[in-house]
Amino acid sequence: MHAENLALLVALPLLTAFLLQPLSQKFAVGWLAPLTVLVTLLLTLQLGAGVMEQPISSVMGGFVVPMGINFYLDGLAWLFLIALQLSLLLLWPRGEQGQSVRVQVLMLLLTASSIGLLLSGDLFNLYVFYELLAVATFGLVAAGESRATAIISFRYLLLSGVGSVLALTGIALLYSHAGTLNLGHLAELVASGELVLPLSAFLLMLLGFGVKAELFAVNGWVPEVYATLSPRLSALLAGVVSKLALIVIVRLLVLLFPTPEASQVLLLLGVLGVLSGELAAWRAQDLRRMLAYSSMGQLGVIFIAFSLSVEAGLLVGIMLSLHHLLVKPGLFLLTEQRFQGWSMVLFILFALSLVGVPPLPGFWAKFALLTGLVSAGGWINSTALVVFLFATVVEASYLFRVVQHYHQERERHQERGRAAVSVVGQDNSGVWISTLFATGLLLTAWQIQPISDYLQQLAVQAGDRQQLSAIVVGVTEGRP
Amino acid sequence: MSREQRSLEWTPLLFSGGLAFLLFTLFIATMFGEPPMRAGAMIQQAGGVELGAANLVTAVVLGYRGLDTLGELAILFASATAVGLVLSTQNGESDKQASVFPDKIFLGEIFESASRLLMPLLLLLGFYIIIHGHLTPGGGFQGGVILAIALFLPALARSGEIPLNHATIRLVEGGAGTLFILIGLMALMQGESFLQPLLQPGEIGALFSAGSLPLLYLAVGLKVGAELAALLVHLSGESA
């Protein structure tokens, strides 16, 4: 299958999004949008066949690379594409909210922009997809039933707008220094020492893209938005969408800013994120807010991981991201109804993995971070280590407080002779989908060795700047 | 004074301090003089010949960075859809939305006649700017806004009465976006890349030149015009 078809992954969801409203006047189109995502998922599987050996690149419009925009698919992008599309299919809005054609359109635009963020190899194009992602999310947040959503989404819009301005300023600054926006081309220039990019450009882009990645100082929107959105959408945003911005930041760090200063900024913001997020989660009174705050803390941990040296950092960071991507949506879905029996078992399973109890994947990811921090040495890393261990204790404390709370409540119900059963006919699909996430978690625990070998390969590939430049520049040769 | 109020008083100072610092850093980091033009110089050399567009900006917007333009159209579309969604949920069950326009007021003979006279002229101007986008400054985005103004004007003069039925607007909105993507996909089907310019570049400066770029600009113009008109429909309170 030739590389030019990479464009289809973005073009098809956009096409369906444009067509959906005119078509909806004549036909029932509820199935069309998820079907499109299924088609792009199959396309991704087909395109990704040989991608671990040889990443592929395709230039839109067939121009030479620094002039045109290219899409680049390597193992890392492929893995997150699969995770993204599976999560989208599982968490696609259903019921009353899913009936609205406009919600379907916004979900398709969210899909297209997320895929674009993973594939695009051009800085300004990344910014365009980031904006599209932001606007689609505003719409979805504002569509909630309660009247408070309008205010919440407005605050989110303001913060996100400031972030976009910062990111765009960073990109403009970088362009004024380099005269090109292509990541492959830039990586080549930086690697050969021909170009030194100013750290302020990285900071601006870090804060800008960090809004979606729940980076400390620009993550104020997180608790409000996740507490008001439907559990499915919270699960989607906290699970996979927050990782997309993270991947963009990591690519910037690895390809363009391989300096210790850039890593230290990431480490510092990560540590502050862990402290603020976990302590706020410990004090939170509402379950969804607690999960939202703890998500801020866990993304802080991932930022700490990526600040390690390139090879170790990428591996540990990807492990932690994937773990969070499985656990957080599962937890958010459980908040849909009251805890009882099976959902309690699932909650305890997710909580154990989040804290890092041995056979579960969370343990391996956290253990890798621990060894990485110890071997990196230095007082900054030691401080991060202490903070990280402290955060784990706090995490365990509040997660098991929830378990204890619900257990007591159940006993009280039983004493009164009322079984704590939910209303008959309640929508249980959230628990089923959560079960699927838990199955994924257990499968990972079972196959931990082959999976970590695969991730190791992936990390080496994502850190290989020469391969990226060679492939992106290689595409340009032999074309007019 | 409560604690929250006191912290609010500090916020503007902190914000302006941060902004000043930001601008200062940018000033230091900006390279004055002649910045490097790695991609820009290549485009300036190749652009005219390769694509046949007399207006080099068009060659960049629709050729070299066509995907960005598609993304921007999608952003505009997402905003219009989000506005529609918010306005329809804010008004709850009732199908009829609140209108931002005042109820029927007669604004005077001159105003109404002028709006009726200006509308066809504005439509003509809008299409002229769109169709000549590859030759002169202007193009789909600017022309599209003028098309939307042509629809806004009668609505203002006649209290929110829109000359186009909103099913039509929705059809144009979806159809124009589809046209843009289909032109891109046609190149893909012929074994080229997505959004590769089709047809012959032709003679620079002629109306029929620059291959498929004018068609793309037509799609952009219609899309922008329809998107803004759709916003007007939402604000005028018709059930959409």
Side-chain angles (χ1 to χ4, degrees):
Chain A
M1 188 135 194
H2 74 308
E4 308 303 335
N5 285 351
L6 274 179
L8 282 178
L9 296 180
V10 172
L12 287 182
L14 279 183
L15 187 67
T16 318
F18 290 153
L19 279 175
L20 211 57
Q21 273 188 315
L23 282 183
S24 71
Q25 289 170 341
K26 290 261 154 57
F27 314 98
V29 288
W31 48 272
L32 194 57
L35 183 74
T36 313
V37 183
L38 193 65
V39 170
T40 54
L41 178 65
L42 294 177
L43 257 175
T44 318
L45 285 172
Q46 213 177 356
L47 280 164
V51 97
M52 282 309 286
E53 290 78 41
Q54 178 74 7
I56 50 179
S57 167
S58 142
V59 192
M60 302 297 117
F63 300 104
V64 186
V65 140
M67 301 205 286
I69 297 166
N70 79 310
F71 272 7
Y72 178 74
L73 180 71
D74 62 354
L76 180 64
W78 185 77
L79 181 66
F80 277 90
L81 273 180
I82 299 290
L84 167 76
Q85 292 171 76
L86 282 178
S87 309
L88 276 167
L89 283 175
L90 287 175
L91 302 170
W92 200 268
R94 298 197 327 185
E96 211 173 298
Q97 211 194 4
Q99 295 293 314
S100 159
V101 180
R102 292 203 182 98
V103 170
Q104 300 269 354
V105 168
L106 288 176
M107 284 299 293
L108 278 169
L109 293 172
L110 180 85
T111 311
S113 57
S114 310
I115 295 175
L117 268 181
L118 285 172
L119 285 178
S120 183
D122 182 281
L123 269 177
F124 187 76
N125 192 237
L126 279 175
Y127 172 76
V128 170
F129 282 127
Y130 185 70
E131 273 296 287
L132 181 56
L133 178 70
V135 175
T137 354
F138 300 149
L140 290 170
V141 174
E145 285 93 29
S146 70
R147 219 158 169 88
T149 54
I151 300 162
I152 288 169
S153 58
F154 183 65
R155 267 189 239 156
Y156 178 32
L157 193 144
L158 279 184
L159 188 59
S160 193
V162 171
S164 296
V165 170
L166 289 181
L168 190 61
T169 319
I171 292 170
L173 193 61
L174 193 144
Y175 183 70
S176 82
H177 275 255
T180 174
L181 288 168
N182 188 279
L183 284 179
H185 192 202
L186 283 166
E188 196 182 15
L189 292 170
V190 170
S192 67
E194 201 180 319
L195 185 71
V196 181
L197 296 167
L199 191 65
S200 47
F202 176 69
L203 284 180
L204 288 168
M205 286 189 282
L206 176 67
L207 285 176
F209 288 117
V211 174
K212 283 273 176 315
E214 304 176 19
L215 183 71
F216 174 75
V218 281
N219 54 9
W221 59 274
V222 172
E224 280 185 339
V225 168
Y226 289 176
T228 41
L229 269 182
S230 74
R232 258 163 218 261
L233 281 175
S234 304
L236 191 66
L237 290 188
V240 76
V241 174
S242 63
K243 306 299 175 302
L244 303 175
L246 197 72
I247 301 275
V248 173
I249 292 174
V250 169
R251 289 229 196 255
L252 290 177
L253 182 76
V254 171
L255 298 174
L256 309 186
F257 297 93
T259 56
E261 289 86 7
S263 297
Q264 275 168 15
V265 171
L266 215 58
L267 182 70
L268 183 69
L269 292 177
V271 166
L272 291 173
V274 171
L275 274 178
S276 60
E278 298 292 7
L279 289 177
W282 191 68
R283 286 196 54 178
Q285 296 297 315
D286 174 75
L287 181 60
R288 278 197 206 161
R289 261 174 203 274
M290 189 198 86
L291 290 178
Y293 281 122
S294 89
S295 156
M296 283 153 66
Q298 278 129 20
L299 275 136
V301 172
I302 298 176
F303 277 114
I304 295 180
F306 280 122
S307 75
L308 294 171
S309 68
V310 170
E311 299 80 35
L314 274 170
L315 175 63
V316 181
I318 294 169
M319 279 166 92
L320 284 166
S321 307
L322 285 175
H323 174 248
H324 190 243
L325 196 151
L326 280 172
V327 167
K328 235 335 112 68
L331 283 172
F332 267 114
L333 285 169
L334 290 176
T335 61
E336 222 163 22
Q337 55 244 3
R338 38 181 322 120
F339 282 0
Q340 34 142 354
W342 182 235
S343 50
M344 202 67 204
V345 174
L346 286 177
F347 186 89
I348 293 174
L349 176 74
F350 287 131
L352 285 176
S353 188
L354 209 51
V355 173
V357 173
L360 294 165
F363 166 72
W364 298 108
K366 285 197 162 183
F367 187 68
L369 177 62
L370 214 65
T371 47
L373 281 173
V374 169
S375 59
W379 67 271
I380 301 184
N381 286 317
S382 313
T383 318
L385 184 67
V386 172
V387 169
F388 166 62
L389 289 175
F390 171 67
T392 302
V393 176
V394 176
E395 217 167 36
S397 141
Y398 64 72
L399 283 171
F400 289 102
R401 202 177 60 202
V402 174
V403 176
Q404 191 194 12
H405 173 78
Y406 281 98
H407 188 70
Q408 282 172 349
E409 198 175 66
R410 197 168 137 210
E411 279 185 343
R412 229 176 296 136
H413 274 289
Q414 275 166 350
E415 275 167 24
R416 287 191 214 141
R418 262 196 300 158
V421 283
S422 58
V423 188
V424 184
Q426 197 179 4
D427 181 22
N428 271 325
S429 59
V431 177
W432 289 116
I433 299 169
S434 183
T435 312
L436 284 178
F437 279 101
T439 319
L441 195 70
L442 290 175
L443 280 178
T444 320
W446 179 41
Q447 289 291 335
I448 193 77
Q449 193 54 46
I451 288 176
S452 48
D453 288 346
Y454 169 74
L455 292 181
Q456 179 78 48
Q457 267 183 316
L458 206 92
V460 170
Q461 194 190 43
D464 191 348
R465 291 193 281 173
Q466 276 167 350
Q467 193 187 25
L468 168 73
S469 316
I471 284 166
V472 171
V473 174
V475 167
T476 67
E477 284 167 7
R479 277 188 176 278
Chain B
M1 200 188 288
S2 76
R3 228 164 96 202
E4 198 166 306
Q5 270 174 333
R6 218 173 306 150
S7 76
L8 271 178
E9 274 183 6
W10 281 99
T11 324
L13 193 66
L14 261 178
F15 182 79
S16 23
L19 194 66
F21 180 69
L22 179 76
L23 292 176
F24 178 69
T25 337
L26 282 181
F27 185 75
I28 295 214
T30 312
M31 300 224 293
F32 293 101
E34 283 181 18
M37 292 269 288
R38 289 192 175 85
M42 285 173 84
I43 287 178
Q44 280 178 3
Q45 258 183 357
V49 187
E50 198 172 16
L51 293 172
N55 181 4
L56 200 58
V57 175
T58 303
V60 175
V61 168
L62 295 177
Y64 299 109
R65 307 204 68 97
L67 192 67
D68 283 346
T69 306
L70 180 59
E72 273 148 29
L73 287 184
I75 292 174
L76 198 56
F77 179 56
S79 326
T81 312
V83 169
L85 194 61
V86 171
L87 289 180
S88 66
T89 45
Q90 291 287 308
N91 288 295
E93 313 82 47
S94 70
D95 208 32
K96 191 87 182 158
Q97 297 167 6
S99 172
V100 295
F101 292 100
D103 288 333
K104 288 268 174 216
I105 314 169
F106 185 66
L107 288 164
E109 190 58 40
I110 299 177
F111 201 78
E112 282 216 356
S113 314
S115 79
R116 221 168 270 146
L117 273 173
L118 269 178
M119 185 184 157
L121 291 177
L122 279 172
L123 281 179
L124 188 68
L125 178 67
F127 276 113
Y128 180 87
I129 288 181
I130 293 172
I131 290 169
H132 288 73
H134 59 298
L135 303 175
T136 52
F141 286 98
Q142 293 83 344
V145 173
I146 296 178
L147 289 186
I149 291 174
L151 299 181
F152 263 69
L153 205 62
L156 282 176
R158 267 162 275 156
S159 308
E161 196 183 298
I162 292 142
L164 267 185
N165 146 4
H166 52 251
T168 322
I169 292 178
R170 200 174 273 180
L171 201 67
V172 175
E173 187 185 10
T178 311
L179 177 68
F180 195 104
I181 296 183
L182 283 184
I183 293 175
L185 287 179
M186 253 160 70
L188 192 67
M189 271 187 276
Q190 291 175 6
E192 313 267 8
S193 313
F194 182 63
L195 284 175
Q196 185 141 353
L198 299 166
L199 312 173
Q200 291 303 312
E203 189 192 340
I204 294 184
L207 183 57
F208 292 101
S209 65
S212 55
L213 296 193
L215 284 175
L216 286 180
Y217 243 170
L218 186 65
V220 171
L222 288 175
K223 179 91 179 154
V224 171
E227 225 58 88
L228 295 177
L231 279 178
L232 178 71
V233 172
H234 293 315
L235 293 177
S236 73
E238 298 215 7
S239 59

